[in-house]
Amino acid sequence: MRPVLKVISAILYLFIINALASESDFIGKPAPDFTLQKLEGNETVQLSSLKGKVVLVDFWATWCAPCKKSLPYLAKMDSKYKNLVVLALNIDDDKENAKQFLKKLNLKINALYDEDKTVVSSYDVPVMPTAYLIDQYGKIQYVHSGYNEESMKKLEFAIRGLIDRP
């Protein structure tokens, strides 16, 4: 694809992404940084260390029925798009319960634990699940809440748009 067409395509993608996004004060603003421990092991992940990559930060809980459907979908997208990093932030009070939940679903996903709920507060998460799509520059470009097949297709469209942009 010619460079001019790539730029026009990227602008069109961003326009469509923003048109599809819910009304959010976060769109276009820097994503609040955080450092959280992985649900399994002692490794930590810092969001700002992932600049240069497209990141999907998804907030979930074991008591959330739509999360049971969205997490497997997000795990598939994480493995499908090599330039995407999915961070699944659990907000449960019981870390062990969250681990068992993922085992039961047989999910391989970057699961983090927001033990003191500071990250969920800084993102002002309205419902579970809610995902924030962050571009290569650390800015939130799309916010997705809930689960249904049509909305997940829109989310994947937004992901492809960010991954494909120059």
Side-chain angles (χ1 to χ4, degrees), residues 30-71:
D33 194 21
F34 59 82
T35 301
L36 289 175
Q37 187 173 5
K38 286 192 170 190
L39 206 51
E40 294 284 346
N42 294 322
E43 187 181 346
T44 59
V45 175
Q46 183 174 13
L47 178 63
S48 59
S49 73
L50 298 172
K51 276 199 178 162
K53 298 179 182 186
V54 175
V55 179
L56 183 68
V57 176
D58 180 64
F59 292 89
W60 66 280
T62 58
W63 47 262
C64 164
C67 296
K68 289 180 185 176
K69 294 180 179 180
S70 68
L71 282 169

Side-chain angles (χ1 to χ4, degrees), residues 94-151:
D94 184 352
K95 186 177 185 178
E96 290 305 314
N97 191 34
K99 287 181 187 180
Q100 291 305 315
F101 180 86
L102 291 177
K103 264 187 193 163
K104 188 176 180 181
L105 292 176
N106 195 27
L107 289 178
K108 304 281 190 247
I109 194 163
N110 287 315
L112 308 177
Y113 188 57
D114 188 14
E115 184 172 14
D116 59 6
K117 315 292 187 279
T118 55
V119 180
V120 72
S121 293
S122 68
Y123 278 78
D124 196 25
V125 176
V127 296
M128 292 293 136
T130 295
Y132 295 80
L133 184 59
I134 302 164
D135 68 14
Q136 298 90 331
Y137 308 103
K139 293 189 177 181
I140 297 172
Q141 295 297 332
Y142 188 79
V143 179
H144 175 270
S145 295
Y147 175 86
N148 68 53
E149 288 186 31
E150 188 59 34
S151 68

Side-chain angles (χ1 to χ4, degrees), residues 15-28:
F15 176 77
I16 291 170
I17 287 169
N18 285 325
L20 294 173
S22 64
E23 292 295 316
S24 174
D25 293 335
F26 286 94
I27 301 295

